[in-house]
Amino acid sequence: MEKKILVTQPHLPDRERFDHYVDQIWKNKWLTNDGELTRAFSEALRTKTGAAYTTLFVNGHLALETALQGMALSGEVITTPYTFVSTVNAIVRSGLTPVFCDIKESNLTIDESKIERLITEKTCAILPVHVYGHCCNVERLQKIADKHGLKLIYDAAHAFGETLGGKSLVTYGDVSMVSFHATKIMNSIEGGALFFRDAELEKRFCLLRNFGIEDENQISCIGGNAKMNEFQAAMGLCNLPDLEKSIEKRKRITDHYRARLEGKRGIHCFHPEQTADFKYNYSYMAILLDERDFGATRDSVYKAMKADEIYTRRYFYPVVTSTAAYKSFDSGRTEIAKWAGDHILCLPDYDNLSENDVDRVCDALLKQQR
Ligand code: T4K
């Protein structure tokens, strides 16, 4: 029996480096509630990204919910159904209504040319997703947001480590949310961060992630508990210096996949880094499988590869508007997203995936071609 190849594996840092931070935690006797390591990780992220402010959270989902709640939004938020359901849950759980815009075939991000027709007097924000780290058209989106007086909040869960025009991608828009979940290019076990420019927001985000506690005498808003803890921050501090190496390794993996799969009948590989001035993080190896040319459906390939102990994933199938929870929000105008959801396959991609493993994945995939 061949060994299992999972779609991803977390990057684990040098154990001694982690132990050093654990010793510090023991010495400090401080586990959570904005400890020394959390503050150090926050500062390190600000330095890395050049963002004016960053606030850390226990996970990316609660970071996004806090962003929406802290910006005191009400009404409709235009977003994409082609995302992890967290994006849309954050909208609804913040008392807002999602309005779904279709995506572009070219890179599967929101189709900026279709946004303006969805804007009503109730629209308060646009929430695009840099899906797989593919960069949204940030310039055009900012113009639309400015023209209509809307907030622009990015789900940048997949986009850490990327730059556009020499600036970290998370510095675009009013706020960007990054996920540091175990499955991401850089992890803090679980974790999330908001990056933003407005000093006022920092205060609100910090209050909302800690029950709204202003001080010993005052609760000034109704917050929850969404704080990052010191073990998460320790992992983040250990992994941050490895990020660029991880990106290089994944670039090599992507190059090898492309060399094996590019131009093969029915297989489409993306090349997001061909956009001028964009530094891509290679964090997902997503391909589209078109059964008309490939000769087998995406789902049959997915199952057959599983039988070969290769665990690909269908991120993001079903698209949010096709789920029981969100069917009633479906405008019927998101055909490209639905098509992509039915044809996407994310191939294994992580730092320590060997060339031999990539070859095994490609052989198993191409074996299904008819
Ligand atoms: N917005 C977007 C666009 C997102 O993609 C996400 C999260 C969020 C918002 C919310 O951010 P967080 O609140 O999660 O920070 C995974 C992740 O749980 C989730 O973080 C991620 N997106 C989503 C796309 O994928 P699953 O259900 O696929 O995870 P799971 O447990 O099946 O793991 C995937 C693979 O990784 C498996 O093959 C096993 C392997 N794995 C996983 C873990 C946790 C390991 O080898 N080790 C591990 O520790 O959701």
Side-chain angles (χ1 to χ4, degrees), residues 5-12 57-64 82-88 90 127 129-132 155-158 177-184 189-193 284 311-313 315-316 350:
I5 303 182
L6 301 176
V7 71
T8 192
Q9 295 257 265
H11 174 83
L12 290 170
F57 292 84
V58 66
N59 58 51
H61 177 81
L62 286 174
L64 190 56
Y82 194 77
T83 184
F84 192 50
V85 71
S86 162
T87 315
V88 189
L127 205 174
V129 181
H130 298 301
V131 68
Y132 313 130
D155 182 331
H158 303 172
M177 178 280 287
V178 163
S179 165
F180 298 126
H181 183 264
T183 54
K184 297 296 182 285
I189 309 175
E190 292 236 22
Y284 287 81
Y311 294 82
T312 64
R313 289 301 274 266
Y315 298 129
F316 290 102
Y350 50 89

Side-chain angles (χ1 to χ4, degrees), residues 269-324:
C269 300
F270 294 94
H271 288 268
E273 72 275 37
Q274 284 174 358
T275 317
D277 245 3
F278 177 57
K279 182 187 154 226
Y280 178 44
N281 68 7
Y282 300 89
S283 61
Y284 287 81
M285 183 61 211
I287 60 166
L288 287 170
L289 273 188
D290 189 338
E291 69 273 12
R292 291 167 299 190
D293 298 323
F294 191 79
T297 65
R298 185 277 313 270
D299 286 347
S300 68
V301 172
Y302 167 77
K303 278 191 206 130
M305 291 179 79
K306 212 178 203 177
D308 282 343
E309 296 288 349
I310 296 169
Y311 294 82
T312 64
R313 289 301 274 266
R314 294 168 296 178
Y315 298 129
F316 290 102
Y317 166 83
V319 288
V320 174
T321 36
S322 300
T323 63

